[in-house]
């Protein structure tokens, strides 16, 4: 497969190290998600024989199915950055990944257990800590996934990290990989666990996200603004944090 964006120069790099790519359309962002995941995966597999990837649901996951045959999927360990574990929506993210898993033949799929959210969060934290495919971040002592793929919302949420929620206000400095998602009947990676990854790809491609993008990337001290969780994902522990934007979603950013 031709990786169309491998040689692209980031549109900007912030003083705190976060990188932004500004593309023309949402479909171009989907292509870049596919290409960057493939690139990071190949490097990880070459280095250590496996690749650990955390996904959520929706449009960020859909482009990955086109990588069937393009990667050694037997070496891929798939994790879920958030999941519903209670009620009728239990397994929502798993269901959204079934096409990817079947089409690509993912070798190792680590489902979040169903049941009370607090118990599921504790169990999934152990799953991440115990997996030989997942390293450890020297800065936090938390699991260090090779790649965390995130969508975001106009309200600034990512994964199941919502503005001002209990799972957000504990960061920075949270010592748990997974947390109960307040009011959601499910679990989420903590902000600190996301920031402990080797690479974080955060998509914010829609026009209605322009104000959120400005607040997350254009304001100082964003890493402590619990009203904009996506902006709290930091490079401070060594992660390569990349925001995938469109002209429409980046329109309110100040000149960089």
């Amino acid at each position: 497969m031709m990786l169309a964006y491998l040689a692209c120069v980031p549109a900007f790099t912030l003083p705190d190290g976060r990188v932004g790519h500004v593309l023309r359309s949402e479909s171009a962002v989907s292509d870049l998600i596919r290409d960057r995941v493939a690139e990071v995966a190949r490097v990880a597999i070459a280095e250590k024989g496996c690749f650990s990837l955390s996904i959520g649901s929706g449009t960020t996951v859909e482009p990955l199915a086109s990588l069937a045959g393009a990667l050694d999927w037997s070496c891929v360990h798939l994790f879920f950055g958030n999941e519903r574990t209670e009620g009728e929506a239990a397994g929502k993210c798993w269901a959204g990944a079934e096409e990817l898993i079947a089409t690509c033949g993912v070798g190792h799929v680590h489902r979040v257990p169903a049941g009370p959210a607090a118990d599921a969060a504790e169990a999934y934290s152990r799953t991440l800590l115990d997996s030989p495919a997942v390293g450890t971040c020297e800065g936090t002592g938390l699991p260090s996934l090779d790649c965390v793929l995130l969508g975001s919302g106009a309200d600034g949420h990512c994964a199941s990290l919502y503005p001002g929620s209990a799972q957000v206000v504990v960061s920075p400095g949270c010592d748990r990989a997974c947390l109960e998602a307040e009011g959601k009947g499910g679990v989420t990676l903590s902000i600190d666990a996301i920031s402990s990854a080797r690479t974080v790809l955060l998509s914010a491609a829609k026009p209605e996200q322009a104000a959120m993008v400005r607040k997350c990337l254009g304001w100082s001290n964003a890493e402590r603004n619990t009203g904009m969780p996506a902006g709290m994902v930091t490079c401070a522990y060594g992660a390569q944090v990349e925001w995938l934007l469109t002209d429409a979603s980046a329109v309110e950013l100040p000149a960089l």
Side-chain angles (χ1 to χ4, degrees):
M1 176 178 292
M2 188 80 142
L3 297 181
Y5 295 95
L6 273 179
C8 76
V9 177
F12 59 86
T13 301
L14 295 176
D16 61 18
R18 290 179 296 171
V19 168
H21 304 274
V22 182
L23 304 171
R24 292 184 177 180
S25 66
E26 292 180 42
S27 63
V29 168
S30 293
D31 290 344
L32 184 53
I33 288 171
R34 177 200 66 207
D35 292 352
R36 287 294 290 125
V37 169
E39 182 182 20
V40 174
R42 290 185 179 122
V43 170
I45 292 169
E47 286 181 352
K48 60 191 182 76
C50 60
F51 170 58
S52 55
L53 171 66
S54 169
I55 62 171
S57 60
T59 56
T60 57
V61 178
E62 292 168 4
L64 303 183
S66 64
L67 291 173
L71 293 176
D72 184 354
W73 284 94
S74 69
C75 298
V76 175
H77 289 251
L78 188 67
F79 296 88
F80 294 86
N82 61 298
E83 182 62 282
R84 301 293 176 88
T85 66
E86 303 176 18
E88 293 182 1
K92 175 182 176 182
C93 292
W94 158 262
E98 284 188 300
E99 179 181 357
L100 166 66
I101 293 165
T103 301
C104 294
V106 181
H108 309 272
V109 181
H110 303 272
R111 291 188 66 172
V112 180
D119 295 342
E122 183 177 351
Y124 209 57
S125 289
R126 289 197 301 270
T127 294
L128 286 161
L129 286 165
D130 294 344
S131 173
V134 180
T136 302
C137 176
E138 292 184 4
T140 64
L142 292 168
S144 181
L145 291 146
D146 291 313
C147 185
V148 174
L149 179 59
L150 296 169
S152 62
D155 62 352
H157 87 269
C158 59
S160 285
L161 297 159
Y162 288 85
S165 62
Q167 60 268 27
V168 169
V169 298
V170 295
S171 295
C174 177
D175 62 358
R176 295 183 59 193
C178 293
L179 299 169
E180 179 179 357
E182 179 184 39
K184 298 295 178 181
V187 304
T188 183
L189 287 175
S190 66
I191 288 172
D192 293 82
I194 294 170
S195 299
S196 297
R198 297 177 72 179
T199 300
V200 180
L201 303 176
L202 198 158
S203 174
K206 297 184 181 301
E208 59 267 29
Q209 293 176 294
M212 180 272 287
V213 169
R214 170 176 53 83
K215 292 171 185 176
C216 289
L217 300 182
W219 289 9
S220 61
N221 207 29
E223 71 275 10
R224 294 188 177 272
N225 180 10
T226 58
M228 286 284 144
M232 296 177 72
V233 177
T234 177
C235 300
Y237 309 123
Q240 170 80 1
V241 179
E242 302 180 30
W243 280 66
L244 314 182
L245 310 171
T246 59
D247 290 332
S249 67
V251 70
E252 293 189 21
L253 283 176
L256 295 165

